Amino acid sequence: MDWRYRIAHIVRKSLFKLVNKDFLIFLFFLALSAVFWLLMTLNETYEKEVRIPVSIVNVPDNVVLISPSTDTMKVVVRDKGLVLLGYEYRDILRPLRINFKSYVRGTESASITSAELQRFIYQQLSASTKIVSIKPDKSEFFFNYGLCKRVPVRWRGHVVPEQLYFISHVDYQPDSVDVYAAEEKLDSIDVVYTETLNYDNFRDTLSITCGLQKIRGAKCVPDRIKMAFYTDVLTEANMSVPVTGVNFPDGKVLRTFPSKVTVHFVTGISRLKKLRPSDFTVVADYEEIMRHPSDKCAVHLKGIPHDVSRAKIDVGSVDYLIEEE
């Protein structure tokens, strides 16, 4: 045991030399000044933004709440730092519970004014705390009694695959949603768009889940959908398409020379395999021929199948005869 005692004694002496009395006094006053600085700082007046959830309660079973049942208000308050610290780390500010029946007056919307919101919030604050601002300055909610309309979904934004690829098909799951709103609002809604999408430089099928664009005074069910963007490789192709006469009176028949023209276009490889000449429409108009008599008649490309772009015919006019049947 003697050798252990001697080692401990040597260590204590060494520490005493390193941490002498003056150094300990310095640490004490440093800590004391830090405490005084903190107290002085917390005694200053500050402004702080706090977030308070607002929820609508006591909603009848026959009512569809169009607005979110819970929203968040941003409230800027002013008080001493110590009080504001309590709002930050103590469970003082509880969600505001707005009674549905207290604000409904027969219409399909209701609002709580800034003054009413301040009254509710002040009930939870310290007596010394002042509210500087509230955003939004009022709480508004919409509802109806089950009136809805089913409308299709369409995507919106920037979705561009790699060069030499294009989007051949978009699949929506579901492809339509139920929109709840007031009758006059529903009459103005014919399609619901997705939130703005931003995807590029992809070549394989792009599968995503996205939300729908918010519509003031309306609620979409569901409010999120699944989408798949199918891609295909672009290719240039051409096809011989017969010329068809339009607006010809009974008993008159159009003969063109040649009887077919070549249509040049760009499409996907998989789509090209399914295309037929009958998918395109090239016409010569009798009324146009009569207005501009000539040895040749103008031909126009009128019908183009979907997923085909940059379609054009190789000639603008052809020789023709109009025969009697």
Side-chain angles (χ1 to χ4, degrees):
M1 294 294 294
D2 291 341
W3 65 270
R4 292 180 182 177
Y5 175 79
R6 287 196 296 271
I7 292 175
H9 181 69
I10 293 170
V11 171
R12 282 197 300 270
K13 288 180 66 177
S14 300
L15 287 175
F16 182 76
K17 290 179 180 179
L18 292 173
V19 185
N20 55 33
K21 184 179 180 180
D22 293 338
F23 183 68
L24 293 175
I25 293 173
F26 168 76
L27 289 180
F28 170 76
F29 282 104
L30 179 64
L32 188 63
S33 62
V35 171
F36 277 116
W37 175 83
L38 180 61
L39 291 175
M40 291 177 62
T41 301
L42 293 178
N43 200 45
E44 295 290 333
T45 299
Y46 299 95
E47 291 185 0
K48 178 175 179 56
E49 181 182 272
V50 295
R51 294 171 178 261
I52 303 178
V54 180
S55 59
I56 310 299
V57 298
N58 297 329
V59 181
D61 293 338
N62 65 329
V63 169
V64 176
L65 199 60
I66 294 173
S67 303
S69 59
T70 301
D71 201 356
T72 300
M73 307 212 69
K74 299 177 181 179
V75 183
V76 177
V77 294
R78 181 190 294 121
D79 208 332
K80 297 194 180 298
L82 189 59
V83 178
L84 298 181
L85 201 62
Y87 295 144
E88 180 75 20
Y89 295 104
R90 295 172 57 194
D91 191 17
I92 296 177
L93 299 177
R94 300 179 303 277
L96 297 183
R97 296 167 63 84
I98 305 300
N99 191 334
F100 177 87
K101 297 178 181 179
S102 300
Y103 292 91
V104 173
R105 299 292 184 268
T107 61
E108 295 183 332
S109 66
S111 63
I112 303 95
T113 65
S114 177
E116 291 175 299
L117 291 170
Q118 286 196 36
R119 179 168 55 85
F120 290 138
I121 297 170
Y122 268 128
Q123 294 174 1
Q124 303 188 54
L125 299 177
S126 171
S128 59
T129 304
K130 302 299 181 184
I131 296 176
V132 178
S133 65
I134 296 178
K135 293 182 180 180
D137 58 0
K138 67 178 180 178
S139 180
E140 189 174 23
F141 61 92
F142 299 87
F143 63 93
N144 74 5
Y145 296 93
L147 184 63
C148 70
K149 175 182 180 181
R150 194 155 187 86
V151 298
V153 177
R154 295 291 180 267
W155 70 273
R156 170 177 285 170
H158 174 83
V159 182
V160 180
E162 286 185 5
Q163 192 175 8
L164 300 182
Y165 286 79
F166 80 113
I167 298 172
S168 61
H169 174 64
V170 181
D171 182 49
Y172 302 87
Q173 294 293 333
D175 61 359
S176 301
V177 296
D178 292 324
V179 180
Y180 291 83
E183 184 174 3
E184 59 274 14
K185 186 73 173 181
L186 286 178
D187 291 340
S188 66
I189 301 174
D190 296 317
V191 64
V192 173
Y193 291 98
T194 66
E195 60 190 9
T196 302
L197 306 177
N198 189 13
Y199 297 92
D200 54 19
N201 293 326
F202 62 94
R203 62 171 61 182
D204 298 323
T205 300
L206 174 65
S207 298
I208 61 172
T209 299
C210 67
L212 300 179
Q213 190 178 47
K214 302 296 183 184
I215 305 174
R216 177 178 168 80
K219 177 182 182 179
C220 297
V221 179
D223 60 357
R224 297 183 67 81
I225 64 167
K226 294 181 178 179
M227 297 179 61
F229 292 87
Y230 295 92
T231 59
D232 199 356
V233 180
L234 286 171
T235 184
E236 293 185 357
N238 60 75
M239 195 166 287
S240 293
V241 178
V243 178
T244 303
V246 295
N247 297 323
F248 275 75
D250 293 338
K252 293 184 180 293
V253 179
L254 174 69
R255 307 288 184 191
T256 63
F257 307 96
S259 61
K260 296 181 179 181
V261 296
T262 301
V263 178
H264 300 271
F265 56 91
V266 174
T267 189
I269 291 178
S270 60
R271 175 64 173 145
L272 179 61
K273 297 176 182 177
K274 301 176 183 178
L275 285 177
R276 299 292 181 269
S278 57
D279 296 325
F280 297 85
T281 303
V282 177
V283 302
D285 191 330
Y286 177 80
E287 295 177 356
E288 183 181 8
I289 294 172
M290 293 298 100
R291 286 196 303 267
H292 306 286
S294 174
D295 294 338
K296 293 181 179 290
C297 66
V299 290
H300 306 280
L301 179 61
K302 292 293 186 181
I304 303 172
H306 74 280
D307 299 335
V308 167
S309 62
R310 289 185 282 180
K312 61 181 181 179
I313 51 181
D314 60 345
V315 295
S317 60
V318 294
D319 295 322
Y320 73 99
L321 284 176
I322 298 178
E323 299 179 345
E324 302 286 342
E325 285 186 327

